[in-house]
Amino acid sequence: MMDLRTERPEDFEDAVLEYHRTPNPGKLSVEPTKPLESPRDLALAFSPGVAAACKAITADPFQAAELTSRQNLVGMISNGSAVLGLGEIGGLASKPLLEGKAMLFKRFANINVFDIELSDSDVQRFIETVAHMEPTFGAIHLEGIKAPECFVIEQALRKRMQIPVYHDDQHGTAMAVCAAVINGLRVANKHLQTCRLVTAGAGASALPSLDLLVAMGLPRENIIVTDSQGVIFQGREAGVNSWKQKYAADTRARTLADAIAGADIFLGLSVGDVLTAPMLESMAEQPLVLALANPTPEITSEQAKACRPDVIIATSRSDCPNQVNNALCFPFVFRGALDVGATTINDAMKLACVNAIADLAMAEPVERVTSVYGEQGLQFGPDYLIPKPFDPRLITEIAPAVAKAAMETGVATRPITDMRAYTARLSNFVYRSSSLMRPVIERARKDPRRIVYAEGEERRVLQAVQQVVDEGIAYPILIGRPGVIENRIRQLGLRLRAGRDFELINIDDDPRYNDYWRLYLQLSRRQGVSQDKARIDVRTNRTIIASLMVQKGDADGMLCGTVGKFTNHQLWVDRVIGKGPGVRGLSTVTGLILPKRNLFICDTHITSDPGIEELVDMTLLAAKEVRAFGITPKVALLSRSNFGTHNNASAVKMREALVKLQKLAPDLEIEGEMQADAAVSEAVRQGIFGDSRLKGSANLLIMPNVDAANIAFSLLKQVGRGVTVGPILIGANKPAHILTEASGVRRLVNMSAVAVTQAQLGMKRPPVLGRSAQVR
């Protein structure tokens, strides 16, 4: 990850300006969610059809949540009176900040935002303006408003509006702070109820943070608050308002240095460099320091650790450990609040968020986080107190917790009846493959089988196996060296244990070695494999070992291919496991989840130039795989020719394959030969060939050769932002799948489920009844 501390400030500023200018000015755009391609679309979207939607809302205002985008639309509003560390810069200059936070809403929680910048510092006019916007938004997010005006504005709007009103500088900071405090005290083995806390700062972020800490159990008498004029003590009048007054302490301390001696927690939400080394040295054992001034903290991590090696420190900087970041909170709190139609965001909802964040930090890191931040320093401890903003689990942990708290406290107008289904929908946003994979994964969970992972030492494989175990998809078998696997499990912070969660095949010492090499010799001796080579291959080649396990029935399916060339793995799988009865050759079908459709493409990896019979085989096998996803296959045989416009060899073979397929599978919805646009657009196809057997858009594309298939797949993946499922190996005698070196953790999890469901269909032995059955 880039270290901002090593980049010249002028270079970074130039990069920021270029980022905002190109390719289009700003960071937001508005896109329609419905088609507008025909006169009928226009009539439905606008006049005269829209009148029906307007009348429905007039009769029942709650219909607005179903008929408009309101319930997923947040108004982010600022007057620019307190922007980041820039102070009062005005509404117009605050627009880049608001656009940036709007990006976070969309990226992390799929929430739409209209940013509204007001050029008005009058509190009452601001309140009136925002209050009149209630019909537009599902919630209001206040941003960049100075204290104490922000307190007045939020309180007034919360009373007047029946939708959540939330000032992120107050509550977002408070929730992130509280999560860091919970985990900092876990590390120090201290209890909140007995800790002493001192602040530097008494503004829009500090006071709400204290309120939430008090709600969590921190005694008010254990808090001393300081501002620019020193300690807020009982009897002090200068610079004290009603919000500060409730934290006026009965103390003789008058300065931060006086107050901090013996304190367990320092909460800094003020200005840079106010916490000195002597002050830190006077704090209690294992002090927790939250130096959150931005951009310069009250004390840097390096300074703090130099004078107090036992310090546990968090800052607001992304280039330091333990960044306390509002982005951990607001997208997901709003997601949960909007989804239950909450009328407010109350303390119970905020505490639900705090606990979810704190608990998530204690879980093992996932691939999406390690790929962004690296693997080091992502295990719970002094340098990892709270999760990273790119952790995909934030939405599935925080939003349901917030939604549940809203329902339990009676502020939800549309309670969720099936929380498991709701969490699954959130998972669809995080992992776009979830919607396609759900029926496969559910079937796998009902009857898990033994899946062997050839590259058992690989980090991606281990992370995937942890998810496979957690989701109950399969009984994993890992091939590798025990010491290497145990060390990497420890490095990744995983909870896996050999013998309990997975079976371990020690590549250097397995009692089945003699049986395996003899079986391998028997299967491959007519392919130039000698006894010596058989012994070496079975000792060193993990794909061969995995294949032999499946062939002998010691495993029910296998995954390989995350290391090495696809073609090499294919050779070994074909040699050991072989083809199914009547199958002429192995092939692959690869799923692509696109923003507006799902497509399967065959054959993306193996058959260079399939003949007619091979096309027939792969089409029937691919259609069977598509059905396994709960999808009715709609097959298009692709060519440069559209229903006879060309007679080159490629077009003719697709045409003749169609004739055979229609005889063999008369119920299969299939058409060809045709070009790709005709396959995916019924309007194009009908214009060319009026009485096509294929209705709607094809979802299974059979390509004339592997070049066409791979090119189409690669283009759609990159340009179309497709998510891959596969490649799924079809035609093998037993479940075996060869992935690619680009395969990520989620793809490994998905393919584990595919292998299990294939084993369920193909295995004749009784199902595995318990974990003990996995070890032989």
Side-chain angles (χ1 to χ4, degrees):
M1 184 178 62
M2 179 190 68
D3 188 344
L4 297 179
R5 293 169 296 183
T6 63
E7 187 173 12
R8 294 194 311 164
E10 56 270 30
D11 291 342
F12 181 66
E13 190 167 305
D14 287 344
V16 170
L17 297 177
E18 182 66 13
Y19 174 85
H20 282 73
R21 286 192 182 109
T22 59
N24 300 304
K27 292 172 285 195
L28 298 177
S29 67
V30 177
E31 296 182 357
T33 61
K34 301 294 191 296
L36 192 58
E37 306 295 337
S38 67
R40 178 171 173 76
D41 291 343
L42 181 60
L44 291 170
F46 189 49
S47 179
V50 73
C54 295
K55 288 188 289 185
I57 295 171
T58 302
D60 179 8
F62 282 98
Q63 286 290 306
E66 297 182 11
L67 298 174
T68 74
S69 60
R70 178 178 186 260
Q71 204 55 45
N72 197 47
L73 182 63
V74 169
M76 187 180 298
I77 306 172
S78 178
N79 62 7
S81 58
V83 177
L84 294 175
L86 303 175
E88 190 164 2
I89 62 175
L92 181 61
S94 73
K95 190 172 180 65
L97 168 67
L98 270 65
E99 286 189 355
K101 293 198 80 168
M103 288 177 67
L104 301 184
F105 266 107
K106 188 66 177 179
R107 168 63 177 79
F108 293 132
N110 199 28
I111 294 172
N112 300 316
V113 170
F114 285 168
D115 63 295
I116 299 174
E117 294 77 26
L118 301 178
S119 57
D120 197 336
S121 59
D122 183 88
V123 169
Q124 289 307 314
R125 284 200 300 266
F126 188 98
I127 291 169
E128 290 298 322
T129 301
V130 176
H132 290 306
M133 295 180 189
E134 184 166 349
T136 302
F137 300 111
I140 298 294
H141 177 113
L142 301 173
E143 180 68 31
I145 303 171
K146 66 181 179 181
E149 288 90 333
C150 63
F151 302 133
V152 176
I153 289 169
E154 189 194 50
Q155 287 178 5
L157 290 174
R158 284 167 64 95
K159 289 179 181 179
R160 290 183 57 172
M161 304 179 80
Q162 295 302 303
I163 57 175
V165 177
Y166 169 104
H167 184 211
D168 192 47
D169 295 336
Q170 297 180 50
H171 308 299
T173 301
M175 288 183 283
V177 162
C178 289
V181 168
I182 286 175
N183 281 348
L185 296 182
R186 280 173 170 167
V187 171
N189 196 26
K190 295 182 180 181
H191 301 286
L192 186 64
Q193 292 76 7
T194 58
C195 285
R196 285 189 55 233
L197 181 148
V198 175
T199 81
S205 297
L207 296 177
S209 296
L210 294 177
D211 291 344
L212 202 55
L213 285 166
V214 169
M216 289 168 49
L218 177 64
R220 194 181 297 261
E221 59 269 21
N222 289 9
I223 299 171
I224 295 181
V225 178
T226 71
D227 61 11
S228 59
Q229 298 183 45
V231 171
I232 298 174
F233 57 89
Q234 291 182 5
R236 177 182 140 182
E237 296 182 358
V240 177
N241 54 39
S242 60
W243 293 278
K244 293 181 180 180
Q245 181 60 45
K246 66 180 176 180
Y247 286 106
D250 182 9
T251 178
R252 294 182 179 180
R254 293 297 181 263
T255 67
L256 177 60
D258 295 338
I260 203 167
D264 299 281
I265 305 169
F266 169 78
L267 174 57
L269 287 159
S270 55
V271 295
D273 301 323
V274 298
L275 182 64
T276 64
M279 293 181 193
L280 179 55
E281 288 170 350
S282 73
M283 292 183 70
E285 182 181 354
Q286 282 195 285
L288 175 60
V289 172
L290 287 84
L292 306 181
N294 191 8
T296 304
E298 287 80 359
I299 189 170
T300 67
S301 295
E302 294 83 358
Q303 291 169 334
K305 290 179 179 179
C307 69
R308 283 296 296 266
D310 64 337
V311 71
I312 303 167
I313 182 166
T315 72
S316 62
R317 292 188 64 92
S318 61
D319 54 355
C320 296
N322 297 325
Q323 183 194 21
V324 177
N325 193 328
N326 292 13
L328 293 172
C329 310
F330 66 82
F332 316 110
V333 171
F334 273 87
R335 180 73 279 158
L338 290 171
D339 289 340
V340 294
T343 56
T344 188
I345 294 173
N346 56 31
D347 279 355
M349 296 161 73
K350 289 183 279 188
L351 289 173
C353 172
V354 169
N355 290 322
I357 292 172
D359 290 345
L360 182 56
M362 301 180 72
E364 68 276 355
V366 294
E367 179 199 27
R368 195 172 296 184
V369 177
T370 58
S371 65
V372 174
Y373 297 97
E375 294 177 2
Q376 299 302 315
L378 294 180
Q379 295 183 38
F380 179 72
D383 291 331
Y384 190 67
L385 299 178
I386 51 179
K388 299 294 187 181
F390 283 94
D391 194 316
R393 298 167 295 184
L394 286 165
I395 190 171
T396 55
E397 296 297 325
I398 297 174
V402 170
K404 184 177 179 182
M407 292 187 292
E408 290 174 347
T409 53
V411 299
T413 61
R414 295 191 316 281
I416 294 169
T417 57
D418 188 340
M419 192 60 69
R420 181 176 177 180
Y422 171 62
T423 304
R425 289 198 300 273
L426 296 175
S427 181
N428 291 347
F429 170 68
V430 178
Y431 300 110
R432 283 171 48 199
S433 62
S434 294
S435 58
L436 180 66
M437 288 300 305
R438 186 176 299 115
V440 178
I441 289 176
E442 288 179 354
R443 282 202 307 277
R445 284 174 178 156
K446 290 178 181 178
D447 185 14
R449 299 301 173 96
R450 301 164 302 171
I451 303 301
V452 58
Y453 299 81
E455 294 98 19
E457 296 176 0
E458 282 295 300
R459 287 172 167 81
R460 286 170 293 163
V461 171
L462 292 169
Q463 289 176 313
V465 166
Q466 181 70 72
Q467 292 187 33
V468 165
V469 170
D470 290 344
E471 296 184 36
I473 290 171
Y475 301 119
I477 303 170
L478 300 181
I479 297 174
R481 294 161 292 177
V484 173
I485 290 176
E486 289 172 11
N487 186 46
R488 287 183 179 168
I489 287 173
R490 188 165 49 252
Q491 290 174 352
L492 292 167
L494 304 178
R495 292 167 280 110
L496 295 171
R497 282 177 54 189
R500 183 192 70 181
D501 301 310
F502 64 90
E503 180 182 352
L504 176 59
I505 303 300
N506 183 352
I507 194 170
D508 294 328
D509 183 20
D510 189 88
R512 291 165 287 195
Y513 170 70
N514 287 329
D515 289 342
Y516 281 0
W517 78 256
R518 288 190 175 95
L519 174 60
Y520 181 61
L521 179 64
Q522 177 185 338
L523 294 169
S524 55
R525 68 192 318 160
R526 293 187 180 275
Q527 299 177 44
V529 175
S530 65
Q531 287 192 21
D532 288 343
K533 181 167 176 53
R535 289 191 181 97
I536 293 170
D537 285 350
V538 175
R539 181 70 74 190
T540 60
N541 190 309
R542 303 177 190 204
T543 296
I544 291 176
I545 297 169
S547 301
L548 289 165
M549 292 191 73
V550 174
Q551 182 66 16
K552 278 186 64 67
D554 292 342
D556 303 320
M558 64 171 283
L559 298 184
C560 63
T562 59
V563 177
K565 291 183 178 181
F566 185 99
T567 51
N568 291 339
H569 293 282
Q570 177 199 335
L571 171 66
W572 298 318
V573 168
D574 197 5
R575 178 177 292 175
V576 176
I577 293 177
K579 305 170 188 66
V583 176
R584 293 170 179 83
L586 301 180
S587 55
T588 61
V589 59
T590 303
L592 268 176
I593 301 162
L594 300 167
K596 295 185 179 180
R597 71 180 77 218
N598 297 325
L599 284 177
F600 292 84
I601 299 175
C602 182
D603 168 18
T604 49
H605 287 79
I606 295 178
T607 316
S608 297
D609 187 14
I612 295 168
E613 300 300 333
E614 290 172 307
L615 284 167
V616 170
D617 279 357
M618 69 174 62
T619 300
L620 295 175
L621 290 166
K624 180 180 177 182
E625 290 303 324
V626 172
R627 288 192 186 94
F629 288 89
I631 297 170
T632 300
K634 294 175 175 286
V635 187
L637 301 173
L638 297 193
S639 169
R640 65 172 294 203
S641 172
N642 261 329
F643 307 102
T645 58
H646 293 84
N647 287 310
N648 60 307
S650 175
V652 169
K653 76 175 180 181
M654 301 306 276
R655 199 177 304 153
E656 293 182 6
L658 175 67
V659 173
K660 290 191 174 238
L661 284 162
Q662 287 172 337
K663 290 179 180 178
L664 289 170
D667 294 333
L668 182 63
E669 191 173 338
I670 185 169
E671 189 58 275
E673 81 287 2
M674 71 181 85
Q675 294 178 3
D677 57 348
V680 297
S681 170
E682 185 170 32
V684 171
R685 189 167 60 253
Q686 288 294 95
I688 298 168
F689 190 74
D691 73 353
S692 169
R693 301 176 186 86
L694 180 63
K695 305 302 179 186
S697 175
N699 53 33
L700 174 54
L701 308 181
I702 307 298
M703 297 293 184
N705 57 57
V706 74
D707 289 339
N710 202 273
I711 290 168
F713 160 70
S714 299
L715 275 173
L716 285 169
K717 181 182 176 184
Q718 293 299 323
V719 178
R721 294 180 292 128
V723 174
T724 303
V725 176
I728 301 169
L729 187 67
I730 53 179
N733 194 40
K734 294 184 179 181
H737 296 290
I738 306 166
L739 283 79
T740 64
E741 292 183 302
S743 298
V745 169
R746 196 63 203 176
R747 199 189 305 183
L748 281 156
V749 173
N750 290 339
M751 291 306 300
S752 299
V754 170
V756 168
T757 57
Q758 289 178 333
Q760 291 168 348
L761 293 172
M763 297 292 289
K764 295 183 173 59
R765 64 172 182 80
V768 176
L769 298 178
R771 285 191 184 276
S772 61
Q774 78 184 47
V775 181
R776 288 180 175 265

